Amino acid sequence: MQQFEIVLKNNNIRSYRFIALMLVILNLAIFIFLLFSDSYFVDALSDLILVCIYAIFRFYQSRKNKAFFFIDEVAFFVLAGCWIVLHHYLFAIFCALIGTLYHFSLQKIHFVFSGELIIRMNFPRTEYQWAKFNNVMLRDGILTLDFTDNKLIQMEVEDNITINEFEFNAFAKQKIKQYSQHYQNPFSK
């Protein structure tokens, strides 16, 4: 059975990373503010040191791998642990939730086109029937999904993905034709 896997670029990753950095800096500022409180001094200092050690570790890792430095989702779980130490459980839950959402937002968008369905593999996983499309086309590195309800998705394909556009477009055209006829007349074979 013929199947195509296409990975699309996530153009919002830089924005998500910037927001994550700002949230970590905000938490660090709160820990610094708590240093001036006698009851929180030791806990705030240990939390501040822990977060700084993790940031230095990430920086070292990025330099070692010759990659771009960014705050990853683990930083939010470290912050959640810090808030638990400070007995502020609501902030801990918030940091853990932000870390989880941040993890999902950094993923590349991954589609699988099979003979029966089109599946978006990212969270939340979504399955589309071929009959829900007017057109599916890959041209010049841009994937276009034209739904029958006038919804349109157009995104750029990852640079390192090589797919024969002619083969993919012929496959998609054949599946749309096959399933749209079946959808119009469910009793035909």
Side-chain angles (χ1 to χ4, degrees):
M1 175 183 297
Q2 195 171 15
Q3 178 173 307
F4 292 91
E5 293 185 28
I6 297 179
V7 179
L8 304 175
K9 287 184 181 178
N10 188 343
N11 295 324
N12 297 326
I13 286 181
R14 290 184 71 193
S15 300
Y16 298 147
R17 288 180 178 167
F18 178 75
I19 292 169
L21 180 63
M22 291 297 109
L23 288 173
V24 169
I25 290 172
L26 176 66
N27 278 277
L28 288 174
I30 294 170
F31 293 152
I32 291 170
F33 177 75
L34 290 175
L35 287 174
F36 298 106
S37 170
D38 291 336
S39 59
Y40 289 117
F41 179 78
V42 174
D43 291 337
L45 182 62
S46 62
D47 292 344
L48 192 59
I49 290 170
L50 181 65
V51 173
C52 287
I53 288 172
Y54 183 73
I56 291 168
F57 170 74
R58 283 287 303 146
F59 184 76
Y60 170 73
Q61 227 181 11
S62 67
R63 290 296 169 235
K64 181 179 153 188
N65 297 332
K66 296 180 179 158
F68 180 71
F69 170 73
F70 66 94
I71 297 296
D72 64 350
E73 62 274 8
V74 176
F76 288 100
F77 295 105
V78 170
L79 287 171
C82 293
W83 285 112
I84 289 172
V85 167
L86 291 168
H87 303 290
H88 285 70
Y89 302 110
L90 191 59
F91 289 139
I93 292 170
F94 177 73
C95 284
L97 181 64
I98 292 295
T100 304
L101 293 174
Y102 183 53
H103 170 74
F104 289 125
S105 69
L106 292 180
Q107 293 180 348
K108 294 178 181 172
I109 301 153
H110 185 191
F111 279 94
V112 175
F113 296 84
S114 69
E116 298 82 33
L117 296 169
I118 298 174
I119 304 168
R120 194 182 93 211
M121 301 302 286
N122 300 74
F123 181 80
R125 182 181 158 132
T126 310
E127 294 182 354
Y128 301 105
Q129 301 291 327
W130 280 101
K132 293 194 180 244
F133 292 94
N134 285 329
N135 194 13
V136 173
M137 183 171 46
L138 180 64
R139 179 174 237 167
D140 297 329
I142 305 246
L143 177 68
T144 303
L145 302 173
D146 182 13
F147 292 81
T148 56
D149 62 357
N150 291 332
K151 182 179 173 185
L152 182 72
I153 296 175
Q154 273 190 322
M155 294 187 79
E156 196 174 344
V157 176
E158 273 293 313
D159 295 331
N160 58 356
I161 304 297
T162 55
I163 294 178
N164 185 329
E165 290 182 5
F166 179 76
E167 237 180 80
F168 175 79
N169 291 334
F171 170 77
K173 190 174 188 178
Q174 184 242 347
K175 291 300 173 187
I176 289 172
K177 183 178 179 184
Q178 173 188 349
Y179 283 99
S180 66
Q181 289 174 352
H182 181 71
Y183 183 71
Q184 291 170 357
N185 186 2
F187 299 108
S188 67
K189 286 192 175 187

